[in-house]
mmCIF file of all heavy atoms in Angstrom:
data_model
loop_
_atom_site.group_PDB
_atom_site.id
_atom_site.type_symbol
_atom_site.label_atom_id
_atom_site.label_comp_id
_atom_site.label_asym_id
_atom_site.label_seq_id
_atom_site.Cartn_x
_atom_site.Cartn_y
_atom_site.Cartn_z
ATOM 1 N N ASP A 1 -101.669 -22.917 12.615
ATOM 2 C CA ASP A 1 -102.075 -22.049 11.499
ATOM 3 C C ASP A 1 -100.844 -21.697 10.648
ATOM 4 O O ASP A 1 -99.810 -21.340 11.157
ATOM 5 C CB ASP A 1 -102.649 -20.730 12.055
ATOM 6 C CG ASP A 1 -103.967 -20.969 12.779
ATOM 7 O OD1 ASP A 1 -104.690 -21.938 12.441
ATOM 8 O OD2 ASP A 1 -104.273 -20.207 13.708
ATOM 9 N N TRP A 2 -100.949 -21.846 9.331
ATOM 10 C CA TRP A 2 -99.908 -21.458 8.415
ATOM 11 C C TRP A 2 -100.541 -21.112 7.058
ATOM 12 O O TRP A 2 -101.675 -21.431 6.808
ATOM 13 C CB TRP A 2 -98.825 -22.544 8.270
ATOM 14 C CG TRP A 2 -99.319 -23.986 8.295
ATOM 15 C CD1 TRP A 2 -99.300 -24.819 9.354
ATOM 16 C CD2 TRP A 2 -99.858 -24.737 7.169
ATOM 17 N NE1 TRP A 2 -99.811 -26.059 8.986
ATOM 18 C CE2 TRP A 2 -100.130 -26.038 7.669
ATOM 19 C CE3 TRP A 2 -100.098 -24.468 5.854
ATOM 20 C CZ2 TRP A 2 -100.680 -27.050 6.875
ATOM 21 C CZ3 TRP A 2 -100.652 -25.439 5.048
ATOM 22 C CH2 TRP A 2 -100.917 -26.729 5.547
ATOM 23 N N ARG A 3 -99.758 -20.472 6.229
ATOM 24 C CA ARG A 3 -100.255 -19.992 4.945
ATOM 25 C C ARG A 3 -100.160 -21.092 3.886
ATOM 26 O O ARG A 3 -99.213 -21.847 3.834
ATOM 27 C CB ARG A 3 -99.492 -18.749 4.481
ATOM 28 C CG ARG A 3 -99.653 -17.577 5.466
ATOM 29 C CD ARG A 3 -99.041 -16.317 4.870
ATOM 30 N NE ARG A 3 -99.038 -15.233 5.854
ATOM 31 C CZ ARG A 3 -100.080 -14.456 6.130
ATOM 32 N NH1 ARG A 3 -101.207 -14.669 5.488
ATOM 33 N NH2 ARG A 3 -100.012 -13.520 7.034
ATOM 34 N N TRP A 4 -101.193 -21.111 3.047
ATOM 35 C CA TRP A 4 -101.250 -22.131 1.944
ATOM 36 C C TRP A 4 -100.107 -21.848 0.980
ATOM 37 O O TRP A 4 -99.889 -20.745 0.514
ATOM 38 C CB TRP A 4 -102.581 -21.991 1.240
ATOM 39 C CG TRP A 4 -102.954 -23.176 0.404
ATOM 40 C CD1 TRP A 4 -102.545 -23.474 -0.872
ATOM 41 C CD2 TRP A 4 -103.881 -24.236 0.763
ATOM 42 N NE1 TRP A 4 -103.125 -24.643 -1.325
ATOM 43 C CE2 TRP A 4 -103.976 -25.119 -0.338
ATOM 44 C CE3 TRP A 4 -104.644 -24.489 1.912
ATOM 45 C CZ2 TRP A 4 -104.763 -26.267 -0.342
ATOM 46 C CZ3 TRP A 4 -105.448 -25.629 1.904
ATOM 47 C CH2 TRP A 4 -105.501 -26.519 0.805
ATOM 48 N N PRO A 5 -99.311 -22.911 0.637
ATOM 49 C CA PRO A 5 -98.127 -22.673 -0.171
ATOM 50 C C PRO A 5 -98.381 -22.467 -1.660
ATOM 51 O O PRO A 5 -99.449 -22.844 -2.147
ATOM 52 C CB PRO A 5 -97.321 -23.960 0.043
ATOM 53 C CG PRO A 5 -98.385 -24.996 0.282
ATOM 54 C CD PRO A 5 -99.480 -24.298 1.040
ATOM 55 N N CYS A 6 -97.403 -21.871 -2.319
ATOM 56 C CA CYS A 6 -97.522 -21.696 -3.775
ATOM 57 C C CYS A 6 -96.219 -22.125 -4.428
ATOM 58 O O CYS A 6 -95.171 -22.231 -3.813
ATOM 59 C CB CYS A 6 -97.839 -20.231 -4.122
ATOM 60 S SG CYS A 6 -96.896 -19.003 -3.225
ATOM 61 N N ALA A 7 -96.330 -22.427 -5.729
ATOM 62 C CA ALA A 7 -95.179 -22.827 -6.528
ATOM 63 C C ALA A 7 -95.460 -22.490 -7.966
ATOM 64 O O ALA A 7 -96.623 -22.571 -8.414
ATOM 65 C CB ALA A 7 -94.902 -24.326 -6.403
ATOM 66 N N ASP A 8 -94.464 -22.077 -8.702
ATOM 67 C CA ASP A 8 -94.625 -21.768 -10.134
ATOM 68 C C ASP A 8 -95.662 -20.704 -10.397
ATOM 69 O O ASP A 8 -96.407 -20.743 -11.403
ATOM 70 C CB ASP A 8 -94.955 -23.037 -10.921
ATOM 71 C CG ASP A 8 -93.926 -24.131 -10.737
ATOM 72 O OD1 ASP A 8 -92.723 -23.839 -10.859
ATOM 73 O OD2 ASP A 8 -94.318 -25.296 -10.448
ATOM 74 N N GLY A 9 -95.806 -19.736 -9.480
ATOM 75 C CA GLY A 9 -96.715 -18.651 -9.708
ATOM 76 C C GLY A 9 -98.175 -18.948 -9.485
ATOM 77 O O GLY A 9 -99.046 -18.267 -10.014
ATOM 78 N N ASP A 10 -98.486 -19.960 -8.679
ATOM 79 C CA ASP A 10 -99.861 -20.307 -8.414
ATOM 80 C C ASP A 10 -99.930 -21.041 -7.078
ATOM 81 O O ASP A 10 -98.910 -21.579 -6.607
ATOM 82 C CB ASP A 10 -100.446 -21.205 -9.511
ATOM 83 C CG ASP A 10 -101.895 -20.923 -9.787
ATOM 84 O OD1 ASP A 10 -102.605 -20.410 -8.861
ATOM 85 O OD2 ASP A 10 -102.357 -21.204 -10.890
ATOM 86 N N TYR A 11 -101.085 -21.095 -6.494
ATOM 87 C CA TYR A 11 -101.257 -21.878 -5.284
ATOM 88 C C TYR A 11 -101.259 -23.350 -5.566
ATOM 89 O O TYR A 11 -101.786 -23.772 -6.619
ATOM 90 C CB TYR A 11 -102.575 -21.460 -4.543
ATOM 91 C CG TYR A 11 -102.461 -20.074 -3.907
ATOM 92 C CD1 TYR A 11 -103.158 -18.998 -4.417
ATOM 93 C CD2 TYR A 11 -101.625 -19.890 -2.808
ATOM 94 C CE1 TYR A 11 -103.043 -17.753 -3.844
ATOM 95 C CE2 TYR A 11 -101.511 -18.622 -2.231
ATOM 96 C CZ TYR A 11 -102.232 -17.567 -2.755
ATOM 97 O OH TYR A 11 -102.111 -16.325 -2.172
ATOM 98 N N CYS A 12 -100.667 -24.125 -4.692
ATOM 99 C CA CYS A 12 -100.542 -25.541 -4.888
ATOM 100 C C CYS A 12 -101.832 -26.294 -4.573
ATOM 101 O O CYS A 12 -102.769 -25.721 -3.991
ATOM 102 C CB CYS A 12 -99.427 -26.114 -4.031
ATOM 103 S SG CYS A 12 -97.789 -25.453 -4.398
ATOM 104 N N LYS A 13 -101.839 -27.583 -4.910
ATOM 105 C CA LYS A 13 -102.943 -28.460 -4.599
ATOM 106 C C LYS A 13 -102.535 -29.415 -3.470
ATOM 107 O O LYS A 13 -101.477 -30.077 -3.567
ATOM 108 C CB LYS A 13 -103.343 -29.260 -5.826
ATOM 109 C CG LYS A 13 -104.564 -30.170 -5.646
ATOM 110 C CD LYS A 13 -104.954 -30.805 -6.982
ATOM 111 C CE LYS A 13 -106.297 -31.478 -6.911
ATOM 112 N NZ LYS A 13 -106.794 -31.877 -8.235
ATOM 113 N N PHE A 14 -103.334 -29.458 -2.413
ATOM 114 C CA PHE A 14 -103.064 -30.449 -1.362
ATOM 115 C C PHE A 14 -103.408 -31.829 -1.909
ATOM 116 O O PHE A 14 -104.515 -32.074 -2.412
ATOM 117 C CB PHE A 14 -103.925 -30.156 -0.130
ATOM 118 C CG PHE A 14 -103.811 -31.215 0.935
ATOM 119 C CD1 PHE A 14 -102.676 -31.345 1.694
ATOM 120 C CD2 PHE A 14 -104.842 -32.115 1.165
ATOM 121 C CE1 PHE A 14 -102.536 -32.325 2.682
ATOM 122 C CE2 PHE A 14 -104.762 -33.082 2.126
ATOM 123 C CZ PHE A 14 -103.592 -33.196 2.883
ATOM 124 N N ILE A 15 -102.447 -32.784 -1.789
ATOM 125 C CA ILE A 15 -102.665 -34.098 -2.374
ATOM 126 C C ILE A 15 -102.616 -35.238 -1.366
ATOM 127 O O ILE A 15 -102.873 -36.377 -1.694
ATOM 128 C CB ILE A 15 -101.683 -34.371 -3.516
ATOM 129 C CG1 ILE A 15 -100.219 -34.312 -3.016
ATOM 130 C CG2 ILE A 15 -101.919 -33.418 -4.694
ATOM 131 C CD1 ILE A 15 -99.186 -34.785 -4.066
ATOM 132 N N GLY A 16 -102.241 -34.947 -0.105
ATOM 133 C CA GLY A 16 -102.236 -36.057 0.878
ATOM 134 C C GLY A 16 -101.304 -35.786 2.050
ATOM 135 O O GLY A 16 -100.631 -34.753 2.116
ATOM 136 N N TYR A 17 -101.300 -36.716 2.981
ATOM 137 C CA TYR A 17 -100.444 -36.639 4.150
ATOM 138 C C TYR A 17 -99.178 -37.425 3.914
ATOM 139 O O TYR A 17 -99.194 -38.534 3.346
ATOM 140 C CB TYR A 17 -101.156 -37.240 5.389
ATOM 141 C CG TYR A 17 -102.427 -36.502 5.739
ATOM 142 C CD1 TYR A 17 -103.673 -37.070 5.477
ATOM 143 C CD2 TYR A 17 -102.413 -35.255 6.371
ATOM 144 C CE1 TYR A 17 -104.833 -36.411 5.799
ATOM 145 C CE2 TYR A 17 -103.570 -34.580 6.684
ATOM 146 C CZ TYR A 17 -104.805 -35.171 6.395
ATOM 147 O OH TYR A 17 -105.966 -34.525 6.734
ATOM 148 N N GLY A 18 -98.051 -36.844 4.301
ATOM 149 C CA GLY A 18 -96.755 -37.450 4.034
ATOM 150 C C GLY A 18 -96.475 -38.682 4.874
ATOM 151 O O GLY A 18 -96.829 -38.757 6.020
ATOM 152 N N SER A 19 -95.785 -39.655 4.251
ATOM 153 C CA SER A 19 -95.291 -40.852 4.894
ATOM 154 C C SER A 19 -94.164 -41.370 4.005
ATOM 155 O O SER A 19 -94.015 -40.957 2.848
ATOM 156 C CB SER A 19 -96.381 -41.925 5.015
ATOM 157 O OG SER A 19 -96.793 -42.359 3.728
ATOM 158 N N ARG A 20 -93.364 -42.287 4.550
ATOM 159 C CA ARG A 20 -92.288 -42.844 3.721
ATOM 160 C C ARG A 20 -92.823 -43.496 2.438
ATOM 161 O O ARG A 20 -92.326 -43.255 1.346
ATOM 162 C CB ARG A 20 -91.466 -43.836 4.523
ATOM 163 C CG ARG A 20 -90.495 -43.179 5.460
ATOM 164 C CD ARG A 20 -89.314 -44.094 5.746
ATOM 165 N NE ARG A 20 -88.467 -43.543 6.785
ATOM 166 C CZ ARG A 20 -87.280 -44.005 7.091
ATOM 167 N NH1 ARG A 20 -86.797 -45.037 6.400
ATOM 168 N NH2 ARG A 20 -86.558 -43.440 8.026
ATOM 169 N N PRO A 21 -93.875 -44.345 2.568
ATOM 170 C CA PRO A 21 -94.406 -44.932 1.324
ATOM 171 C C PRO A 21 -94.907 -43.912 0.329
ATOM 172 O O PRO A 21 -94.751 -44.086 -0.872
ATOM 173 C CB PRO A 21 -95.535 -45.852 1.835
ATOM 174 C CG PRO A 21 -95.207 -46.121 3.248
ATOM 175 C CD PRO A 21 -94.518 -44.882 3.774
ATOM 176 N N TYR A 22 -95.501 -42.830 0.841
ATOM 177 C CA TYR A 22 -96.065 -41.830 -0.062
ATOM 178 C C TYR A 22 -94.984 -41.076 -0.809
ATOM 179 O O TYR A 22 -95.058 -40.897 -2.059
ATOM 180 C CB TYR A 22 -96.960 -40.864 0.716
ATOM 181 C CG TYR A 22 -97.828 -40.000 -0.171
ATOM 182 C CD1 TYR A 22 -98.526 -40.549 -1.270
ATOM 183 C CD2 TYR A 22 -97.989 -38.653 0.048
ATOM 184 C CE1 TYR A 22 -99.316 -39.783 -2.082
ATOM 185 C CE2 TYR A 22 -98.796 -37.854 -0.761
ATOM 186 C CZ TYR A 22 -99.443 -38.433 -1.827
ATOM 187 O OH TYR A 22 -100.255 -37.668 -2.642
ATOM 188 N N TYR A 23 -93.956 -40.644 -0.111
ATOM 189 C CA TYR A 23 -92.859 -39.952 -0.804
ATOM 190 C C TYR A 23 -92.137 -40.885 -1.772
ATOM 191 O O TYR A 23 -91.742 -40.476 -2.860
ATOM 192 C CB TYR A 23 -91.846 -39.385 0.202
ATOM 193 C CG TYR A 23 -92.367 -38.104 0.865
ATOM 194 C CD1 TYR A 23 -92.827 -38.145 2.186
ATOM 195 C CD2 TYR A 23 -92.366 -36.911 0.193
ATOM 196 C CE1 TYR A 23 -93.293 -36.982 2.799
ATOM 197 C CE2 TYR A 23 -92.862 -35.734 0.785
ATOM 198 C CZ TYR A 23 -93.312 -35.809 2.105
ATOM 199 O OH TYR A 23 -93.785 -34.641 2.702
ATOM 200 N N ASN A 24 -92.023 -42.152 -1.396
ATOM 201 C CA ASN A 24 -91.383 -43.137 -2.321
ATOM 202 C C ASN A 24 -92.230 -43.265 -3.585
ATOM 203 O O ASN A 24 -91.680 -43.397 -4.700
ATOM 204 C CB ASN A 24 -91.197 -44.473 -1.626
ATOM 205 C CG ASN A 24 -90.079 -44.450 -0.597
ATOM 206 O OD1 ASN A 24 -89.180 -43.658 -0.666
ATOM 207 N ND2 ASN A 24 -90.192 -45.373 0.384
ATOM 208 N N SER A 25 -93.541 -43.235 -3.428
ATOM 209 C CA SER A 25 -94.404 -43.378 -4.602
ATOM 210 C C SER A 25 -94.390 -42.126 -5.504
ATOM 211 O O SER A 25 -94.596 -42.236 -6.715
ATOM 212 C CB SER A 25 -95.856 -43.651 -4.177
ATOM 213 O OG SER A 25 -96.464 -42.513 -3.616
ATOM 214 N N LEU A 26 -94.125 -40.970 -4.897
ATOM 215 C CA LEU A 26 -94.107 -39.705 -5.656
ATOM 216 C C LEU A 26 -92.769 -39.511 -6.366
ATOM 217 O O LEU A 26 -92.688 -38.753 -7.340
ATOM 218 C CB LEU A 26 -94.386 -38.524 -4.727
ATOM 219 C CG LEU A 26 -95.789 -38.397 -4.127
ATOM 220 C CD1 LEU A 26 -95.803 -37.284 -3.087
ATOM 221 C CD2 LEU A 26 -96.811 -38.095 -5.205
ATOM 222 N N ALA A 27 -91.719 -40.166 -5.877
ATOM 223 C CA ALA A 27 -90.376 -39.942 -6.405
ATOM 224 C C ALA A 27 -90.232 -40.655 -7.768
ATOM 225 O O ALA A 27 -90.369 -41.860 -7.857
ATOM 226 C CB ALA A 27 -89.346 -40.470 -5.432
ATOM 227 N N THR A 28 -89.979 -39.864 -8.806
ATOM 228 C CA THR A 28 -89.826 -40.444 -10.136
ATOM 229 C C THR A 28 -88.391 -40.344 -10.635
ATOM 230 O O THR A 28 -87.919 -41.230 -11.349
ATOM 231 C CB THR A 28 -90.748 -39.702 -11.152
ATOM 232 O OG1 THR A 28 -90.484 -38.293 -11.092
ATOM 233 C CG2 THR A 28 -92.210 -39.974 -10.810
ATOM 234 N N THR A 29 -87.682 -39.275 -10.260
ATOM 235 C CA THR A 29 -86.311 -39.089 -10.757
ATOM 236 C C THR A 29 -85.289 -39.145 -9.625
ATOM 237 O O THR A 29 -84.093 -38.963 -9.849
ATOM 238 C CB THR A 29 -86.183 -37.751 -11.508
ATOM 239 O OG1 THR A 29 -86.537 -36.673 -10.607
ATOM 240 C CG2 THR A 29 -87.135 -37.710 -12.692
ATOM 241 N N THR A 30 -85.746 -39.360 -8.413
ATOM 242 C CA THR A 30 -84.855 -39.403 -7.251
ATOM 243 C C THR A 30 -85.435 -40.380 -6.229
ATOM 244 O O THR A 30 -86.418 -41.051 -6.513
ATOM 245 C CB THR A 30 -84.688 -37.989 -6.654
ATOM 246 O OG1 THR A 30 -83.740 -38.050 -5.582
ATOM 247 C CG2 THR A 30 -85.996 -37.448 -6.134
ATOM 248 N N THR A 31 -84.842 -40.453 -5.043
ATOM 249 C CA THR A 31 -85.370 -41.299 -3.995
ATOM 250 C C THR A 31 -86.488 -40.564 -3.224
ATOM 251 O O THR A 31 -86.533 -39.355 -3.237
ATOM 252 C CB THR A 31 -84.268 -41.720 -3.020
ATOM 253 O OG1 THR A 31 -83.784 -40.544 -2.345
ATOM 254 C CG2 THR A 31 -83.141 -42.422 -3.738
ATOM 255 N N GLY A 32 -87.287 -41.328 -2.520
ATOM 256 C CA GLY A 32 -88.299 -40.705 -1.653
ATOM 257 C C GLY A 32 -87.659 -39.809 -0.614
ATOM 258 O O GLY A 32 -88.192 -38.738 -0.265
ATOM 259 N N GLU A 33 -86.534 -40.253 -0.061
ATOM 260 C CA GLU A 33 -85.838 -39.453 0.941
ATOM 261 C C GLU A 33 -85.379 -38.116 0.358
ATOM 262 O O GLU A 33 -85.535 -37.061 0.995
ATOM 263 C CB GLU A 33 -84.624 -40.225 1.488
ATOM 264 C CG GLU A 33 -83.872 -39.479 2.598
ATOM 265 C CD GLU A 33 -82.726 -40.266 3.181
ATOM 266 O OE1 GLU A 33 -82.517 -41.433 2.730
ATOM 267 O OE2 GLU A 33 -82.072 -39.763 4.092
ATOM 268 N N GLU A 34 -84.786 -38.136 -0.817
ATOM 269 C CA GLU A 34 -84.339 -36.902 -1.436
ATOM 270 C C GLU A 34 -85.510 -35.962 -1.751
ATOM 271 O O GLU A 34 -85.419 -34.752 -1.592
ATOM 272 C CB GLU A 34 -83.532 -37.196 -2.680
ATOM 273 C CG GLU A 34 -82.126 -37.708 -2.406
ATOM 274 C CD GLU A 34 -81.302 -36.719 -1.593
ATOM 275 O OE1 GLU A 34 -81.240 -35.526 -1.974
ATOM 276 O OE2 GLU A 34 -80.689 -37.130 -0.569
ATOM 277 N N LEU A 35 -86.577 -36.562 -2.259
ATOM 278 C CA LEU A 35 -87.764 -35.767 -2.574
ATOM 279 C C LEU A 35 -88.289 -35.094 -1.302
ATOM 280 O O LEU A 35 -88.581 -33.892 -1.295
ATOM 281 C CB LEU A 35 -88.859 -36.660 -3.158
ATOM 282 C CG LEU A 35 -90.211 -35.965 -3.400
ATOM 283 C CD1 LEU A 35 -90.083 -34.863 -4.422
ATOM 284 C CD2 LEU A 35 -91.248 -36.992 -3.874
ATOM 285 N N PHE A 36 -88.384 -35.847 -0.229
ATOM 286 C CA PHE A 36 -88.835 -35.313 1.060
ATOM 287 C C PHE A 36 -87.949 -34.143 1.490
ATOM 288 O O PHE A 36 -88.453 -33.066 1.811
ATOM 289 C CB PHE A 36 -88.799 -36.425 2.119
ATOM 290 C CG PHE A 36 -89.078 -35.969 3.527
ATOM 291 C CD1 PHE A 36 -90.376 -35.710 3.928
ATOM 292 C CD2 PHE A 36 -88.041 -35.838 4.435
ATOM 293 C CE1 PHE A 36 -90.641 -35.296 5.252
ATOM 294 C CE2 PHE A 36 -88.282 -35.433 5.744
ATOM 295 C CZ PHE A 36 -89.577 -35.158 6.143
ATOM 296 N N LYS A 37 -86.668 -34.337 1.463
ATOM 297 C CA LYS A 37 -85.736 -33.319 1.976
ATOM 298 C C LYS A 37 -85.741 -32.043 1.111
ATOM 299 O O LYS A 37 -85.509 -30.962 1.613
ATOM 300 C CB LYS A 37 -84.336 -33.896 2.050
ATOM 301 C CG LYS A 37 -84.200 -34.965 3.149
ATOM 302 C CD LYS A 37 -82.799 -35.558 3.219
ATOM 303 C CE LYS A 37 -82.693 -36.569 4.359
ATOM 304 N NZ LYS A 37 -81.332 -37.157 4.432
ATOM 305 N N ASN A 38 -85.958 -32.236 -0.199
ATOM 306 C CA ASN A 38 -85.953 -31.092 -1.080
ATOM 307 C C ASN A 38 -87.316 -30.379 -1.188
ATOM 308 O O ASN A 38 -87.408 -29.338 -1.837
ATOM 309 C CB ASN A 38 -85.515 -31.513 -2.508
ATOM 310 C CG ASN A 38 -84.073 -31.939 -2.538
ATOM 311 O OD1 ASN A 38 -83.244 -31.441 -1.780
ATOM 312 N ND2 ASN A 38 -83.746 -32.879 -3.422
ATOM 313 N N SER A 39 -88.336 -30.946 -0.581
ATOM 314 C CA SER A 39 -89.684 -30.434 -0.791
ATOM 315 C C SER A 39 -90.128 -29.435 0.259
ATOM 316 O O SER A 39 -91.199 -28.848 0.123
ATOM 317 C CB SER A 39 -90.690 -31.615 -0.823
ATOM 318 O OG SER A 39 -90.821 -32.196 0.461
ATOM 319 N N PHE A 40 -89.351 -29.236 1.302
ATOM 320 C CA PHE A 40 -89.793 -28.368 2.383
ATOM 321 C C PHE A 40 -90.006 -26.943 1.876
ATOM 322 O O PHE A 40 -89.177 -26.379 1.122
ATOM 323 C CB PHE A 40 -88.797 -28.389 3.526
ATOM 324 C CG PHE A 40 -89.026 -29.514 4.511
ATOM 325 C CD1 PHE A 40 -89.031 -30.838 4.069
ATOM 326 C CD2 PHE A 40 -89.316 -29.272 5.838
ATOM 327 C CE1 PHE A 40 -89.270 -31.872 4.935
ATOM 328 C CE2 PHE A 40 -89.559 -30.306 6.735
ATOM 329 C CZ PHE A 40 -89.548 -31.622 6.268
ATOM 330 N N TYR A 41 -91.103 -26.327 2.314
ATOM 331 C CA TYR A 41 -91.455 -24.980 1.893
ATOM 332 C C TYR A 41 -90.358 -24.025 2.364
ATOM 333 O O TYR A 41 -89.709 -24.233 3.389
ATOM 334 C CB TYR A 41 -92.814 -24.579 2.478
ATOM 335 C CG TYR A 41 -93.514 -23.486 1.741
ATOM 336 C CD1 TYR A 41 -93.474 -23.378 0.324
ATOM 337 C CD2 TYR A 41 -94.252 -22.506 2.450
ATOM 338 C CE1 TYR A 41 -94.144 -22.384 -0.307
ATOM 339 C CE2 TYR A 41 -94.920 -21.495 1.769
ATOM 340 C CZ TYR A 41 -94.857 -21.427 0.386
ATOM 341 O OH TYR A 41 -95.512 -20.420 -0.278
ATOM 342 N N TYR A 42 -90.187 -22.950 1.633
ATOM 343 C CA TYR A 42 -89.059 -22.026 1.828
ATOM 344 C C TYR A 42 -88.929 -21.537 3.275
ATOM 345 O O TYR A 42 -87.844 -21.351 3.784
ATOM 346 C CB TYR A 42 -89.168 -20.846 0.886
ATOM 347 C CG TYR A 42 -90.238 -19.828 1.272
ATOM 348 C CD1 TYR A 42 -89.962 -18.728 2.022
ATOM 349 C CD2 TYR A 42 -91.574 -20.044 0.852
ATOM 350 C CE1 TYR A 42 -90.955 -17.821 2.390
ATOM 351 C CE2 TYR A 42 -92.561 -19.144 1.223
ATOM 352 C CZ TYR A 42 -92.251 -18.035 1.991
ATOM 353 O OH TYR A 42 -93.249 -17.160 2.354
#
């Protein structure tokens, strides 16, 4: 059990389960690895 996260003053949208290919596909300005590491909730 955990609380639904928020960002930018609103609740976020769940978009999928994480994997290396998924983070790589989401990364536009950095690597998938960097995106993963920087994305952890506070």
Side-chain angles (χ1 to χ4, degrees):
D1 294 330
W2 37 262
R3 298 187 187 279
W4 198 278
C6 45
D8 304 312
D10 215 335
Y11 287 110
C12 297
K13 183 174 192 170
F14 174 73
I15 59 172
Y17 299 105
S19 64
R20 282 206 188 191
Y22 194 44
Y23 284 104
N24 287 335
S25 72
L26 291 171
T28 55
T29 59
T30 184
T31 64
E33 181 177 1
E34 284 301 311
L35 175 62
F36 173 77
K37 292 179 177 180
N38 292 329
S39 69
F40 274 58
Y41 202 39
Y42 73 94

